[in-house]
Amino acid sequence: MSLPPEEPAPFFLPAFALTLLFAVLGPAIGGAVFIPLAMLAEAETTAALHIGWIAGLIGHAFALIPAYALGLFPAAFTGFGFALYDAWAPASYPRALGAALIGAALAQGLYLWLLWAGATLVGWISVHFSADVGDVVYDWTAGEFDAALHHALLASGAAAGFACAMVAGFFGLSTRR
């Protein structure tokens, strides 16, 4: 007598749910973590003045707009990457730590894309308007300001991935058998 073949565990519906969960919660969590970390990292530089008046002017509620604009796709990709990791990893592997690493890696990708977009914008402004205006934009985005925001972005991506994985675990969302 033979046992019936095991049916594979469903992947696509839980993967879609994880991707949606990360896309909805990830940018909000990442934005909520990014603002204080950026302020802390910039406390010793002149960029803190810029972040301080911007945060004071628009408030934290409006900060969610750029958080979702910039973080929606990395958060969704983090959710899908987490679904793949969850399906692949043995049961003893830490799920939330894996999500944090995936979130930090995709935040690094976002950072590199922002560098590319900023360089493209500076080049376009320098060619079509004025090299002096392009230099002002370049000076604003370069140096210590750039490095501190890089670290805050990586930490917020890791924190968002970790928190979303914890929420997924709380609700029992998983792609593993």
Side-chain angles (χ1 to χ4, degrees), residues 47-61:
L49 298 173
H50 298 296
I51 293 175
W53 72 263
I54 290 170
L57 183 64
I58 63 174
H60 290 292

Side-chain angles (χ1 to χ4, degrees), residues 35-171:
I35 291 171
L37 285 179
M39 289 295 292
L40 181 64
E42 295 294 335
E44 296 180 9
T45 67
T46 58
L49 298 173
H50 298 296
I51 293 175
W53 72 263
I54 290 170
L57 183 64
I58 63 174
H60 290 292
F62 287 114
L64 287 178
I65 295 169
Y68 272 97
L70 293 174
L72 184 64
F73 288 115
F77 286 130
T78 300
F80 185 69
F82 175 71
L84 292 173
Y85 172 75
D86 189 40
W88 165 81
S92 63
Y93 281 32
R95 298 302 193 254
L97 181 61
L101 293 174
I102 294 167
L106 287 169
Q108 175 68 18
L110 173 64
Y111 173 75
L112 294 175
W113 180 83
L114 287 172
L115 284 180
W116 171 83
T120 303
L121 180 65
V122 166
W124 183 78
I125 289 172
S126 295
V127 169
H128 293 303
F129 293 103
S130 165
D132 294 333
V133 175
D135 288 342
V136 168
V137 173
Y138 177 77
D139 289 342
W140 185 73
T141 59
E144 293 177 32
F145 185 78
D146 189 33
L149 291 183
H150 176 231
H151 297 300
L153 186 65
L154 290 180
S156 66
F162 184 84
C164 288
M166 296 300 284
V167 170
F170 178 75
F171 287 113

